[in-house]
Amino acid sequence: MTDLVVATPVFLDLTFVGLESPPMLGEERFAAELLRSPGGGAITAVAAARLGMSAAVAAPLGDDVAGDIVRSMLAEDGVEWIATRPSPRTPTTVVMPFGGDRAMVTIDPGARASASDVAAREPRAVAASLDQLYVVPNGATAYVTCGDDDLRAYAGRPPAGLGGARALFVNQREALGLSGKDTAADAAASLAELAETVVVTLAAEGAMAFGNGEALAAPGEAVANPADTTGAGDLLTAAYIWADLHGADPEARLHWAVLYAGLAVTTPTGVGGAVDRATLLREGAARGLTPPPLTRD
């Protein structure tokens, strides 16, 4: 049995570090360095592994140099790649962090994880995007995310299949678009009529959650100069799953998740700031957080 199988698409991220400014059309700009790292769903899987869970990635990768790089980096963190069919080429994203935000350009051939690959690992939990609810096997806990393509497909009409999800993770724009509501709070309450819990990330302001008729909030970490916010939502998702599978109550899950994402944005790349469990527990203790029950010796 695997603690977490991630079905969401995986990318090779090419991150320009120290970009002097984003280029306009016809302009050239310079960066200090170019970093390669696993992106997309791989960020969630790597974070889960660093938090002590067994993790696997079911998203197809290409039989190409980019795919070799991603598979090698996943293996270094103990994440198993389990896709039995290749993608025509490995999805790739160019990331340009600047001024506490980032711009991205992505190539995605559209290959997606298969339900049979996910089920083969008998996962306790599955992280899947909104259009992948079909890959979650019976008996596994579903944690669902939303991307730009999902938002376009399900704007104003979230799928009824969310009714089986333990949690849905969306940013404020996604929450408003999916629900058709005017505020994040109203959007979370509306979407929680389907998913058991809805977590709405609010960038530097932290996150809010709504479930079982209860609204919760966790303030963001104070970070003066974020180096790279790429993957913050993926990391928040990983830490929420970790806390949930280790017995934390809803409020504690949210606080641990927001802390984990906040710790990461001071380091370039999505996986670069994904700290290990000991570091997270130490930082949480410094902020008065109680460790999830099943992490205590």
Side-chain angles (χ1 to χ4, degrees), residues 2 7 12 23 45 51 67 72 86 109 112 123-124 131 153 155 168 176 183 202 215 228 237 254 259 267 275 285:
T2 302
L12 173 65
L51 290 172
S72 175
R112 294 295 182 262
R124 294 178 62 199
D131 64 345
L168 169 66
L176 299 180
T183 68
L202 303 171
D228 189 357
T237 298
L254 188 64
L259 172 59
T267 305
V275 301

Short mmCIF file of all heavy atoms in Angstrom, two decimals, residues 2 7 12 23 45 51 67 72 86 109 112 123-124 131 153 155 168 176 183 202 215 228 237 254 259 267 275 285:
data_model
loop_
_atom_site.label_atom_id
_atom_site.label_comp_id
_atom_site.label_asym_id
_atom_site.label_seq_id
_atom_site.Cartn_x
_atom_site.Cartn_y
_atom_site.Cartn_z
N THR A 2 0.49 2.25 -0.79
CA THR A 2 1.20 3.51 -0.87
C THR A 2 0.38 4.59 -0.18
O THR A 2 -0.84 4.67 -0.36
CB THR A 2 1.44 3.91 -2.34
OG1 THR A 2 2.18 2.88 -2.99
CG2 THR A 2 2.20 5.23 -2.43
N ALA A 7 -1.84 11.79 -9.18
CA ALA A 7 -2.24 11.55 -10.57
C ALA A 7 -2.16 12.81 -11.43
O ALA A 7 -2.22 12.72 -12.65
CB ALA A 7 -3.67 11.00 -10.61
N LEU A 12 8.60 19.14 -16.24
CA LEU A 12 9.94 19.61 -15.97
C LEU A 12 9.85 21.12 -15.90
O LEU A 12 9.48 21.77 -16.88
CB LEU A 12 10.92 19.19 -17.06
CG LEU A 12 12.33 19.80 -16.93
CD1 LEU A 12 13.03 19.32 -15.67
CD2 LEU A 12 13.17 19.50 -18.17
N PRO A 23 10.42 40.19 -19.48
CA PRO A 23 10.58 40.85 -20.78
C PRO A 23 9.25 41.21 -21.42
O PRO A 23 8.26 40.49 -21.30
CB PRO A 23 11.31 39.79 -21.61
CG PRO A 23 10.89 38.49 -21.01
CD PRO A 23 10.72 38.74 -19.54
N ALA A 45 4.15 15.27 -4.65
CA ALA A 45 4.71 13.96 -4.33
C ALA A 45 6.03 14.08 -3.58
O ALA A 45 6.27 13.36 -2.60
CB ALA A 45 4.90 13.15 -5.61
N LEU A 51 7.97 14.60 3.93
CA LEU A 51 7.22 14.60 5.18
C LEU A 51 7.05 13.20 5.76
O LEU A 51 6.36 13.02 6.75
CB LEU A 51 5.85 15.25 4.97
CG LEU A 51 5.89 16.76 4.71
CD1 LEU A 51 4.51 17.28 4.32
CD2 LEU A 51 6.41 17.51 5.93
N GLY A 67 12.14 13.85 -19.52
CA GLY A 67 11.56 12.79 -18.72
C GLY A 67 12.60 12.09 -17.86
O GLY A 67 12.35 11.76 -16.69
N SER A 72 14.75 10.89 -12.59
CA SER A 72 15.93 10.82 -11.73
C SER A 72 15.75 11.66 -10.46
O SER A 72 16.09 11.22 -9.35
CB SER A 72 17.16 11.30 -12.50
OG SER A 72 18.30 11.36 -11.68
N PRO A 86 3.96 5.85 -21.82
CA PRO A 86 4.67 7.12 -21.91
C PRO A 86 3.80 8.22 -22.48
O PRO A 86 2.78 7.97 -23.13
CB PRO A 86 5.83 6.79 -22.86
CG PRO A 86 5.26 5.75 -23.77
CD PRO A 86 4.32 4.93 -22.92
N PRO A 109 1.44 17.96 -23.73
CA PRO A 109 0.83 17.14 -24.79
C PRO A 109 -0.48 16.49 -24.39
O PRO A 109 -1.16 15.88 -25.22
CB PRO A 109 1.90 16.10 -25.09
CG PRO A 109 2.69 16.00 -23.83
CD PRO A 109 2.70 17.38 -23.25
N ARG A 112 -2.46 11.71 -19.63
CA ARG A 112 -2.89 11.74 -18.23
C ARG A 112 -2.76 10.35 -17.60
O ARG A 112 -2.69 9.34 -18.27
CB ARG A 112 -4.34 12.21 -18.14
CG ARG A 112 -4.54 13.68 -18.57
CD ARG A 112 -3.83 14.62 -17.62
NE ARG A 112 -4.01 16.02 -17.96
CZ ARG A 112 -3.16 16.77 -18.65
NH1 ARG A 112 -2.03 16.23 -19.09
NH2 ARG A 112 -3.40 18.05 -18.87
N PRO A 123 -3.57 2.83 -3.05
CA PRO A 123 -3.25 4.04 -2.29
C PRO A 123 -4.21 4.31 -1.14
O PRO A 123 -5.42 4.07 -1.25
CB PRO A 123 -3.36 5.14 -3.34
CG PRO A 123 -4.36 4.61 -4.32
CD PRO A 123 -4.10 3.13 -4.39
N ARG A 124 -3.67 4.81 -0.05
CA ARG A 124 -4.53 5.34 1.01
C ARG A 124 -5.18 6.62 0.54
O ARG A 124 -6.34 6.89 0.87
CB ARG A 124 -3.69 5.64 2.26
CG ARG A 124 -3.08 4.45 2.95
CD ARG A 124 -2.24 4.91 4.14
NE ARG A 124 -3.05 5.60 5.15
CZ ARG A 124 -2.54 6.40 6.10
NH1 ARG A 124 -1.23 6.63 6.15
NH2 ARG A 124 -3.35 6.98 6.98
N ASP A 131 -10.55 17.11 -13.32
CA ASP A 131 -11.01 16.27 -14.43
C ASP A 131 -10.55 14.82 -14.31
O ASP A 131 -10.70 14.04 -15.24
CB ASP A 131 -10.54 16.85 -15.77
CG ASP A 131 -9.02 16.85 -15.92
OD1 ASP A 131 -8.32 16.67 -14.90
OD2 ASP A 131 -8.54 17.03 -17.05
N ALA A 153 -13.05 24.45 -18.08
CA ALA A 153 -13.99 23.37 -18.39
C ALA A 153 -15.20 23.35 -17.44
O ALA A 153 -16.31 22.99 -17.86
CB ALA A 153 -13.28 22.02 -18.34
N ALA A 155 -16.25 26.00 -15.24
CA ALA A 155 -16.68 27.31 -14.73
C ALA A 155 -18.19 27.33 -14.50
O ALA A 155 -18.99 27.04 -15.41
CB ALA A 155 -16.28 28.40 -15.70
N LEU A 168 -11.19 19.73 -1.54
CA LEU A 168 -10.94 20.41 -2.81
C LEU A 168 -10.06 21.62 -2.51
O LEU A 168 -10.37 22.41 -1.61
CB LEU A 168 -12.25 20.87 -3.44
CG LEU A 168 -12.13 21.82 -4.64
CD1 LEU A 168 -11.47 21.13 -5.83
CD2 LEU A 168 -13.50 22.39 -5.03
N LEU A 176 -13.99 31.39 -7.17
CA LEU A 176 -15.03 32.26 -7.70
C LEU A 176 -15.52 31.76 -9.05
O LEU A 176 -16.73 31.76 -9.33
CB LEU A 176 -14.49 33.69 -7.83
CG LEU A 176 -14.05 34.37 -6.52
CD1 LEU A 176 -13.54 35.77 -6.81
CD2 LEU A 176 -15.17 34.41 -5.50
N THR A 183 -17.66 36.24 -3.52
CA THR A 183 -16.63 36.31 -2.49
C THR A 183 -16.05 34.92 -2.24
O THR A 183 -16.71 33.91 -2.51
CB THR A 183 -17.19 36.84 -1.16
OG1 THR A 183 -18.10 35.88 -0.60
CG2 THR A 183 -17.91 38.17 -1.36
N LEU A 202 -5.20 31.99 -0.37
CA LEU A 202 -5.32 33.44 -0.51
C LEU A 202 -3.96 34.10 -0.62
O LEU A 202 -3.73 35.19 -0.09
CB LEU A 202 -6.09 34.00 0.69
CG LEU A 202 -7.48 33.41 0.93
CD1 LEU A 202 -8.05 33.86 2.26
CD2 LEU A 202 -8.43 33.77 -0.20
N ALA A 215 -16.50 27.49 9.14
CA ALA A 215 -15.51 28.27 8.40
C ALA A 215 -14.25 28.43 9.25
O ALA A 215 -14.33 28.74 10.45
CB ALA A 215 -16.07 29.64 8.03
N ASP A 228 10.25 32.68 -4.84
CA ASP A 228 9.52 31.95 -5.88
C ASP A 228 8.27 31.34 -5.26
O ASP A 228 8.36 30.51 -4.37
CB ASP A 228 10.41 30.85 -6.46
CG ASP A 228 9.82 30.19 -7.70
OD1 ASP A 228 8.69 30.55 -8.08
OD2 ASP A 228 10.50 29.33 -8.29
N THR A 237 -1.15 21.59 -0.39
CA THR A 237 -1.95 20.36 -0.54
C THR A 237 -1.25 19.18 0.12
O THR A 237 -1.87 18.39 0.84
CB THR A 237 -2.20 20.08 -2.02
OG1 THR A 237 -2.95 21.16 -2.59
CG2 THR A 237 -2.95 18.78 -2.22
N LEU A 254 -5.24 22.92 8.41
CA LEU A 254 -5.11 24.15 7.65
C LEU A 254 -3.88 24.94 8.08
O LEU A 254 -3.12 25.44 7.24
CB LEU A 254 -6.37 25.00 7.82
CG LEU A 254 -6.47 26.23 6.92
CD1 LEU A 254 -6.56 25.83 5.46
CD2 LEU A 254 -7.69 27.08 7.32
N LEU A 259 1.55 26.90 6.90
CA LEU A 259 2.94 27.05 7.35
C LEU A 259 3.90 26.41 6.36
O LEU A 259 4.91 27.01 5.98
CB LEU A 259 3.10 26.43 8.73
CG LEU A 259 4.54 26.33 9.25
CD1 LEU A 259 5.19 27.70 9.34
CD2 LEU A 259 4.58 25.61 10.60
N THR A 267 12.72 30.05 -1.21
CA THR A 267 13.70 29.27 -1.97
C THR A 267 13.19 29.06 -3.39
O THR A 267 12.03 28.72 -3.58
CB THR A 267 13.92 27.90 -1.30
OG1 THR A 267 14.30 28.11 0.07
CG2 THR A 267 15.02 27.11 -2.00
N VAL A 275 10.43 21.55 2.82
CA VAL A 275 11.25 21.10 3.95
C VAL A 275 10.81 19.70 4.39
O VAL A 275 9.74 19.21 4.04
CB VAL A 275 11.16 22.08 5.13
CG1 VAL A 275 11.63 23.46 4.70
CG2 VAL A 275 9.75 22.15 5.69
N ALA A 285 6.25 23.98 16.08
CA ALA A 285 6.36 24.11 17.54
C ALA A 285 6.71 25.54 17.93
O ALA A 285 6.20 26.07 18.93
CB ALA A 285 7.40 23.14 18.07
#
